[in-house]
């Protein structure tokens, strides 16, 4: 079995990346304000910090992540206020068309290309017809000097530190032009977008014209 790449980092993850990530999460919340009773799924939910921000909206919250260490922190953080599933999002245990919002933040860049594709297919499958997908990840746009060079350099160091496979997947993600390329490939429709961090990060709020297209599981 594959070793958990987050086994040593999970406990420290929010202490290291919390401040930067919180700013991104708040921008995402501004792009899609949930209503009470909505169902929200966080794909690659990590420590559950993103879902924690949504709990004030009294939504039904779900998170999926293959890292036992990250899921453990998430469960400790949210208890029974969210339902966490330990597993790979390329094969999710949820019914077709069950979520109003599917979030995926800083996870797609670290997946290998076939997994990334399958995960996006699954996100479309479990999205309600009226639902939205919120993607937040690194962005390949030319960065503005000097602050953004520092941001890109910081990203580069953390990606190298995350290990060879992680870095290889990150480089592939950047080479194919990141989220805009994946959005086109999967026929997702851009509702809102925002590029931040001097061009180093981007947020996309998307709808899916054909929620079940590209999914391995049959739609009903
Ligand atoms: C950089 S962390 C980000 C965590 C969280 N989204 C956040 O914003 O704090 C990336 C997460 O993606 C998860 N991940 C990687 N591959 C995955 C996959 N195939 N399915 C679901 N999650 C995955 C990792 O385990 C990790 O928890």
């Amino acid at each position: 079995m594959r070793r958990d790449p987050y086994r040593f980092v999970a406990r420290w993850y929010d202490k290291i990346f919390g401040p930067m990530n919180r700013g991104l999460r708040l921008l995402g919340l501004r792009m899609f304000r949930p209503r009470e009773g909505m169902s929200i799924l966080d794909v690659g939910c990590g420590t559950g910090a993103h879902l924690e921000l949504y709990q004030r909206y009294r939504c039904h919250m779900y998170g999926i992540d293959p890292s036992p260490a990250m899921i453990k922190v998430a469960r400790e953080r949210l208890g029974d206020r969210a339902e966490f599933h330990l597993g790979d999002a390329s094969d999710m245990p949820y019914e077709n068309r069950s979520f109003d919002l599917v979030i995926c933040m800083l996870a797609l860049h670290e997946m290998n290309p076939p997994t990334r594709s399958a995960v996006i297919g699954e996100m479309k499958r479990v999205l309600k017809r009226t639902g939205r997908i919120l993607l937040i990840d690194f962005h390949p746009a030319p960065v503005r000097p000097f602050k953004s060079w520092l941001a890109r350099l910081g990203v580069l160091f953390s990606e190298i530190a995350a290990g060879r496979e992680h870095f290889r997947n990150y480089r592939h993600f950047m080479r194919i032009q990141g989220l805009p390329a994946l959005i086109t490939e999967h026929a997702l429709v851009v509702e809102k977008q925002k590029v931040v961090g001097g061009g180093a990060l981007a947020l996309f709020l998307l709808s899916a014209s054909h929620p079940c297209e590209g999914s391995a599981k049959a739609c009903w």
Side-chain angles (χ1 to χ4, degrees):
M1 206 177 128
R2 195 170 162 255
R3 287 176 93 186
D4 179 0
Y6 284 92
R7 63 195 179 284
F8 301 126
V9 183
R11 290 268 152 219
W12 302 99
Y13 185 82
D14 291 317
K15 288 192 178 67
I16 303 168
F17 300 107
M20 175 194 94
N21 286 355
R22 188 173 166 81
L24 287 171
R25 300 188 208 290
L26 290 173
L27 284 174
L29 250 179
R30 239 186 261 167
M31 290 171 107
F32 183 96
R33 193 71 68 175
R35 288 193 309 276
E36 188 173 338
M38 280 186 163
S39 290
I40 298 184
L41 169 66
D42 189 2
V43 169
C45 62
T47 61
H50 211 133
L51 288 177
E52 186 175 44
L53 212 57
Y54 283 74
Q55 64 180 335
R56 77 178 94 141
Y57 298 98
R58 297 171 183 276
C59 295
H60 305 289
M61 303 189 300
Y62 299 80
I64 181 166
D65 200 290
S67 159
M70 292 295 240
I71 284 283
K72 186 166 185 281
V73 176
R75 285 189 174 131
E76 284 166 9
R77 168 180 256 135
L78 285 170
D80 59 9
R81 283 167 286 159
E83 206 176 286
F84 291 105
H85 180 81
L86 177 66
D88 196 302
S90 58
D91 183 17
M92 298 204 268
Y94 313 112
E95 306 251 310
N96 295 339
R97 295 179 184 160
S98 37
F99 295 99
D100 297 286
L101 178 65
V102 177
I103 302 167
C104 187
M105 172 161 150
L106 296 176
L108 287 172
H109 75 267
E110 69 172 66
M111 297 173 195
N112 64 45
T115 302
R116 201 184 282 148
S117 236
V119 168
I120 297 175
E122 280 289 85
M123 291 200 260
K124 289 174 72 176
R125 179 183 68 78
V126 301
L127 190 71
K128 285 183 184 173
R129 275 189 192 282
T130 53
R132 294 290 181 269
I133 295 175
L134 176 64
L135 301 183
I136 306 175
D137 221 314
F138 300 128
H139 194 56
V143 287
R144 292 197 304 271
F146 295 93
K147 200 176 148 199
S148 18
W149 288 350
L150 283 178
R152 186 62 62 82
L153 210 62
V155 169
L156 203 64
F157 274 125
S158 67
E159 293 306 295
I160 291 170
R164 196 181 299 173
E165 192 188 336
H166 187 123
F167 187 54
R168 190 173 47 237
N169 294 338
Y170 162 77
R171 278 197 316 179
H172 178 270
F173 177 83
M174 296 301 266
R175 203 169 50 242
I176 62 159
Q177 298 303 303
L179 293 179
L182 294 172
I183 288 165
T184 307
E185 184 189 334
H186 290 270
L188 291 160
V189 180
V190 177
E191 304 285 342
K192 294 179 189 176
Q193 59 181 303
K194 199 166 178 56
V195 175
V196 294
L201 290 145
L203 300 90
F204 289 90
L205 185 72
L206 310 159
S207 56
S209 43
H210 304 287
C212 300
E213 198 179 69
S215 160
K217 294 181 186 173
C219 248
W220 47 61

